[in-house]
Amino acid sequence: MNDPETPPLALYVHWPFCVSKCPYCDFNSHVREDVDQAAWRAALLADLAHEAAQLPGRTLGSIFFGGGTPSLMPPETVAAVIDVAGRAWDFTPDIEITLEANPSSVEAARFVDIAAAGVNRVSLGLQALDDEALKFLGRAHGVTEGLAALDTAQRAFSRVSFDLIYARPEQRLSDWEVELGRAIGFGTEHLSLYQLTIEPGTRFATEAAAGRIVIPDGDSAADLFEATRSMTAAAGIPAYEISNHARAGAESRHNLTYWRYRDYAGIGPGAHGRRGGLATVRRKKPENWMTAIARNQHGIEIEEPLAPHTRATEALLMGLRLREGVDLARIARLGETSVEKLIDWPAATLLGRQGLLTHTGDRLHVTDAGMLLLDAILPEIVRDAP
C-alpha cells in the first residue's frame, strides 16, 4: 500500500541524442545520425526496472521525457517506458506525462503518435518570436515553422507549455513587451520565460568576451524581468517560480517535484536522481551508459548518501525559487538540526527590512522584488555546513 503522506514520485527519462549542434549546451558530442532504437529501448527499460526496484510501493505523479531531442524518440519507446512505469508504480489519477520538443515540422508531424503513446503535455522550445533572434540562438526553425508546430501541439495535447528567452543582445523593452504580448495571446496555460545566460565554454561566451555581442546591462535586464512579471500576472498566468508562469492548477507538476525537493528517479545517460536521501548520477556518455547497462542492468555511475545539511541546503536553494517559499520545519527535519544552523537570521532579517524576504510562521519566501536578486540573496542567507 502507498503511504498517503508520501508525496508522489517523479520519473525523468533522458534521451541524449541531438539532431544538430547547439551553441549553448554541452551535449554536442551526442549528435547522432543513426541510433539502434531497439537496443536503446531495452536499455532504458532495464535502467527503469532498477529504479523501480529501489522505490517499491510508490505512486508516480509525473514522467518527463527530456534531454537532446526526445521528440524524435520512437513513439513505441515512449509507450514502452510509460507501460513499464505503470506496472512498477501506481499512477496518480491526474499523472502528468511531458515530452520536450523542438518546434520543427519534422517533430510536429510525430505529435499525434506521441500523444497516442500516452504523453499528455508537451514543452515546446520556441525560444523567440523573431527570426533574427532565432538565428542568433542557433535554432534551425523560423517563427512560421515554430508557430505551426505550436498549433499542432495545441491540437494534439491537452496541456502545452513553451519557452522564450529574453534579455537578448540589443533587445529593447518595447520589443520584448510586443513579443511577450503575442506569446500570451496564444492561450497556453504555461510559459517558461528565461533570461539569456552566458555559460562558460560556449560560443556565446566567446562572442561576448570578444565584444561581438552585448547583453543588456543590469538595469535593462531588471526592467525586462519586471515587465515579464507584470504582463503575465495581468494575463492570469503569474510566476509561480522565478522563470515559470502558469494559470492556477497548470503548474508543471514534474518540476514542482524538484523545487519542493521530493524524490525523483532519473534514467538514461547523464540523468540525476534523488531518492531516500541518496543522490544518483547516470553515466553521461551514451556508449559508457550502454556498457554499464549490459554489465550491471543499470547506468549508475554515482550513488551516494547526502549529508543532512546538504539535503537541507539543497531544499532551501530549490524551494526559495518558488513563490510559495519553503517550510522551515521540514527543512530542519531534513537537516536534522535547528533552523538557526541553516539560516543566517541576521542577514535574513536585514533582507526582510529591505522588502526582499518575508517570514511568516514556518514559511520563508523571497518576495517579487527579491526574485530579481535571487542569485545574490541565496548565498547571504543559507549557512554553509558547520
Side-chain angles (χ1 to χ4, degrees):
M1 291 291 291
N2 291 308
D3 181 352
E5 299 302 317
T6 301
L9 178 71
L11 172 65
Y12 176 71
V13 183
H14 188 259
W15 181 259
F17 300 120
C18 300
V19 292
S20 62
K21 292 194 174 183
C22 167
Y24 53 93
C25 79
D26 61 355
F27 285 106
N28 291 341
S29 62
H30 296 173
V31 176
R32 297 287 192 280
E33 293 295 329
D34 297 304
V35 176
D36 184 338
Q37 301 290 358
W40 269 86
R41 181 162 54 252
L44 279 173
L45 297 181
D47 218 11
L48 172 54
H50 177 82
E51 287 300 299
Q54 311 310 307
L55 292 159
R58 295 292 295 270
T59 296
L60 191 66
S62 68
I63 303 173
F64 193 102
F65 293 90
T69 312
S71 46
L72 294 181
M73 184 185 296
E76 56 264 37
T77 298
V78 174
V81 169
I82 294 170
D83 177 65
V84 170
R87 285 188 272 119
W89 299 295
D90 290 337
F91 284 177
T92 59
D94 58 351
I95 187 168
E96 173 189 276
I97 304 178
T98 303
L99 184 133
E100 283 186 328
N102 293 320
S104 73
S105 56
V106 172
E107 292 173 59
R110 305 162 65 91
F111 286 172
V112 171
D113 290 338
I114 289 171
V119 171
N120 56 27
R121 181 177 183 271
V122 70
S123 178
L124 203 60
L126 284 184
Q127 300 196 338
L129 300 178
D130 176 273
D131 282 327
E132 287 303 314
L134 288 170
K135 288 179 184 177
F136 165 76
L137 293 168
R139 308 309 295 169
H141 69 276
V143 174
T144 299
E145 185 179 27
L147 294 182
L150 175 60
D151 179 66
T152 301
Q154 288 180 298
R155 286 184 280 110
F157 300 98
S158 57
R159 300 178 62 199
V160 175
S161 174
F162 66 88
D163 66 63
L164 295 177
I165 295 174
Y166 66 98
R168 306 186 301 255
E170 301 179 12
Q171 187 176 39
R172 297 179 301 180
L173 175 60
S174 58
D175 293 336
W176 172 238
E177 288 173 335
V178 170
E179 186 173 355
L180 180 56
R182 188 182 181 193
I184 291 170
F186 295 128
T188 61
E189 62 177 14
H190 190 285
L191 291 173
S192 296
L193 305 171
Y194 303 107
Q195 289 199 32
L196 179 64
T197 301
I198 304 298
E199 298 290 347
T202 63
R203 175 176 65 80
F204 289 166
T206 301
E207 295 287 304
R212 289 189 288 269
I213 60 172
V214 179
I215 304 300
D217 61 24
D219 288 342
S220 297
D223 290 342
L224 291 163
F225 179 84
E226 290 169 357
T228 300
R229 293 221 150 196
S230 175
M231 290 180 64
T232 54
I237 48 173
Y240 67 98
E241 189 267 348
I242 187 169
S243 300
N244 286 274
H245 309 251
R247 302 192 187 284
E251 299 86 357
S252 168
R253 296 169 204 158
H254 185 86
N255 286 337
L256 281 173
T257 298
Y258 299 156
W259 296 321
R260 289 172 174 165
Y261 205 66
R262 306 301 187 182
D263 282 349
Y264 64 96
I267 65 170
H272 289 237
R274 291 287 186 277
R275 51 171 160 80
L278 292 175
T280 64
V281 183
R282 258 61 184 176
R283 295 183 181 276
K284 186 174 182 180
K285 189 175 180 181
E287 289 76 11
N288 292 347
W289 176 81
M290 287 287 281
T291 299
I293 294 286
R295 182 176 61 246
N296 305 319
Q297 290 299 294
H298 64 74
I300 295 173
E301 181 175 23
I302 299 170
E303 183 176 67
E304 60 185 11
L306 295 169
H309 192 281
T310 299
R311 296 177 68 198
T313 299
E314 287 186 345
L316 276 169
L317 294 176
M318 296 297 282
L320 288 172
R321 298 171 60 92
L322 291 167
R323 177 185 287 272
E324 68 186 34
V326 294
D327 178 344
L328 292 176
R330 176 175 178 257
I331 298 295
R333 290 195 299 272
L334 285 170
E336 299 178 4
T337 188
S338 67
V339 173
E340 287 70 25
K341 292 185 178 179
L342 299 169
I343 301 287
D344 186 329
W345 282 113
T349 299
L350 177 59
L351 291 166
R353 290 175 183 153
Q354 295 170 341
L356 304 177
L357 283 179
T358 60
H359 177 212
T360 306
D362 275 335
R363 296 204 74 82
L364 184 67
H365 308 253
V366 177
T367 66
D368 283 351
M371 284 294 179
L372 183 60
L373 303 169
L374 185 64
D375 288 345
I377 287 173
L378 292 178
E380 289 293 317
I381 63 171
V382 179
R383 290 190 181 276
D384 294 331

